[in-house]
Amino acid sequence: MEVPVIRDRRGTIGVIEPSGMLPFDMKRVYYLFDVATGSSRGAHAHKTLSQLLIAVAGSVVVTLTDGDSESEFLLGDPCVALHIPPGYWRSLSQFSEGCVLLVIASAEYSESDYIRQWEEFIAWRNPH
Ligand code: T46
């Protein structure tokens, strides 16, 4: 989704407000930074959590799969947010130097919402 921005000759402000504009109610904001180039993060799914990811500086590649098909997204524009609904395995790679990835989430941190084993994820997606 496009992030609303306010531009003038001094620069640009990106604005995210909880009312109306998001596909979920926001409960948490966090950000990844100081990620060593060449390292990967993610490699898990969330059972109920929805997220919006915005590369507010630098770039990162996000790979999403539901266990069948896979999509790859290059995030590198602070005016663009990637919505990840619940139930997608995500891998984050190719962090550029200085990348700052902002994450807006629908719930507070809960380890029990994570699926961190690929086999468990596939079984969860295909319960019978
Ligand atoms: C995701 C990608 C995009 C907390 O204690 N509180 C928090 O709010 C978060 C986000 C993490 N943690 C702890 C849990 C782990 O012990 O920090 C450690 C690393 O977290 P995680 O394995 O989730 O880190 P990433 O970078 O692999 O994933 C993060 C998000 O947590 C995840 O939801 O989708 O960024």
Side-chain angles (χ1 to χ4, degrees):
M1 71 175 248
E2 291 281 320
V3 176
V5 295
I6 301 153
R7 295 182 198 278
D8 64 29
R9 59 189 168 74
R10 300 165 298 173
T12 307
I13 303 175
V15 182
I16 305 219
E17 291 182 308
S19 50
M21 65 185 279
L22 297 180
F24 53 81
D25 290 336
M26 59 192 276
K27 294 278 170 48
R28 178 171 47 132
V29 174
Y30 57 95
Y31 45 97
L32 279 55
F33 62 103
D34 275 353
V35 181
T37 51
S39 71
S40 301
R41 301 194 64 112
H44 59 251
H46 289 281
K47 294 174 196 165
T48 65
L49 192 73
S50 293
Q51 293 154 299
L52 283 177
L53 274 55
I54 305 170
V56 293
S59 61
V60 58
V61 171
V62 180
T63 306
L64 298 181
T65 180
D66 58 5
D68 290 322
S69 56
E70 187 175 284
S71 304
E72 199 171 272
F73 302 89
L74 171 63
L75 300 187
D77 181 345
C79 303
V80 172
L82 175 67
H83 177 210
I84 309 182
Y88 284 86
W89 188 268
R90 83 284 318 275
S91 303
L92 282 64
S93 62
Q94 300 178 49
F95 285 89
S96 70
E97 200 170 329
C99 178
V100 180
L101 182 68
L102 181 71
V103 182
I104 296 167
S106 63
E108 293 180 19
Y109 171 74
S110 166
E111 186 60 32
S112 64
D113 192 63
Y114 283 71
I115 304 174
R116 293 191 182 271
Q117 301 301 322
W118 174 255
E119 296 74 17
E120 188 189 336
F121 171 66
I122 294 300
W124 179 79
R125 290 287 315 201
N126 307 288
H128 35 264

